[in-house]
Amino acid sequence: MRALLIPFVTLLITLPTTSSQHTALNFGKNPSSYILLPSFTSTQRTSFSVCAWLKRHSNHLDFYQYWISYGVPDSFMEFGISDSGVSYMFGDGMLPRYQWLRVEENHHVCYAWGEGRAVVYYDGVEIGREKTEEGRELVTPGTLILGQFVSYSGVENIEKFRYFGGEMTGVYIFSGMLREEEVEEVYRGGKCFDVVSRFGSDNIFISWQDILQLERMGSVQEVEVQCSSRERRSRKYGESGKFGEF
């Protein structure tokens, strides 16, 4: 009997970690559910990256459901990105194609900016890139917010119907521009990937652990989700293009 129990115990210890639990935040489908993040600083004025795992609960604005945005006093739409990869920087929009989302799907989105260009990744694959205004630096300070869209600084400038309305986890903001292979590594690692240990706390402006300690407004609630790993998609996505509506 003992000989039979030994391999069984070993099997339990070596099971994959994909069944473990991880904390996510669920944002209500309303303009009052958000988390205010610390403002960007001088460290991010010339480059930064932001990544997250996202799951929308509705399609109220198709691919214009912004999960993070940054507003400043005298510049219209300084930065923002939706869960479909639609984004803008310094008021100039980028529309990666073919990202039509269904509700309750998990996807990983990253935005990397620096060296005069912005690159968007969706599930570890680049789906769009665009040059940004030459010599332009990010204006600081401002209003950096999760779950809502702001075109200027201040929560009074939250636009009523542009809420995200979904679940997010693994949100990290980096003080620098991630390379393609680094974005893919974070995606492959899944929701429970130890980003801080991999990149070092000095290179991370805001971690998911930091966000979980911040005040939550409206109906933002903790939920437990399963860890998961993802494989790189084999196909490339379409080229990005300009668009007129945000």
Side-chain angles (χ1 to χ4, degrees):
M1 179 65 70
R2 291 180 180 177
L4 292 175
L5 286 175
I6 292 173
F8 176 71
V9 173
T10 303
L11 176 62
L12 290 177
I13 294 172
T14 58
L15 281 173
T17 59
T18 53
S19 62
S20 62
Q21 296 287 310
H22 182 70
T23 301
L25 292 176
N26 190 65
F27 288 72
K29 293 181 283 186
N30 56 67
S32 61
S33 296
Y34 62 87
I35 294 178
L36 275 179
L37 303 178
S39 172
F40 283 121
T41 68
S42 58
T43 308
Q44 295 83 42
R45 280 183 182 167
T46 57
S47 65
F48 72 87
S49 303
V50 56
C51 300
W53 284 95
L54 305 162
K55 181 169 71 175
R56 62 167 56 189
H57 295 325
S58 69
N59 285 326
H60 58 280
L61 277 178
D62 295 324
F63 40 68
Y64 297 105
Q65 290 170 218
Y66 292 93
W67 59 276
I68 187 170
S69 61
Y70 179 62
V72 297
D74 300 315
S75 178
F76 183 58
M77 296 195 314
E78 189 75 351
F79 163 71
I81 184 168
S82 77
D83 61 336
S84 67
V86 171
S87 60
Y88 60 86
M89 190 78 184
F90 307 142
D92 190 15
M94 177 167 55
L95 177 61
R97 297 173 184 166
Y98 311 132
Q99 306 310 306
W100 299 93
L101 301 183
R102 293 188 295 270
V103 297
E104 307 305 328
E105 289 184 348
N106 284 290
H107 293 281
H108 189 255
V109 176
C110 277
Y111 183 97
W113 170 70
E115 302 171 356
R117 71 184 190 278
V119 186
V120 176
Y121 301 88
Y122 187 86
D123 288 345
V125 176
E126 180 184 327
I127 60 170
R129 65 170 54 210
E130 189 169 81
K131 292 182 178 179
T132 57
E133 186 178 337
E134 187 175 355
R136 175 77 147 76
E137 293 187 356
L138 196 69
V139 174
T140 59
T143 299
L144 184 59
I145 191 168
L146 285 181
Q148 301 292 337
F149 173 88
V150 289
S151 53
Y152 290 100
S153 62
V155 294
E156 67 275 11
N157 289 310
I158 290 174
E159 298 203 9
K160 186 175 181 180
F161 298 107
R162 296 189 184 274
Y163 54 83
F164 170 56
E167 180 184 288
M168 68 177 76
T169 190
V171 180
Y172 288 89
I173 302 178
F174 302 83
S175 294
M177 187 178 187
L178 292 181
R179 301 187 301 272
E180 181 178 8
E181 59 269 25
E182 292 173 325
V183 172
E184 181 180 352
E185 181 182 359
V186 174
Y187 167 66
R188 282 181 178 272
K191 295 176 183 176
C192 297
F193 183 60
D194 192 345
V195 175
V196 176
S197 293
R198 166 60 181 85
F199 292 94
S201 58
D202 290 344
N203 297 312
I204 297 174
F205 172 51
I206 299 175
S207 71
W208 182 239
Q209 292 73 23
D210 295 332
I211 291 169
L212 290 176
Q213 303 304 313
L214 296 175
E215 183 179 7
R216 303 163 193 173
M217 307 303 293
S219 52
V220 179
Q221 298 179 333
E222 284 191 10
V223 293
E224 293 301 314
V225 298
Q226 297 295 317
C227 294
S228 62
S229 296
R230 295 289 185 268
E231 294 299 323
R232 181 179 174 87
R233 293 173 180 236
S234 59
R235 65 185 178 92
K236 288 288 184 180
Y237 293 86
E239 296 177 355
S240 62
K242 296 280 187 174
F243 64 99
E245 182 186 358
F246 295 86

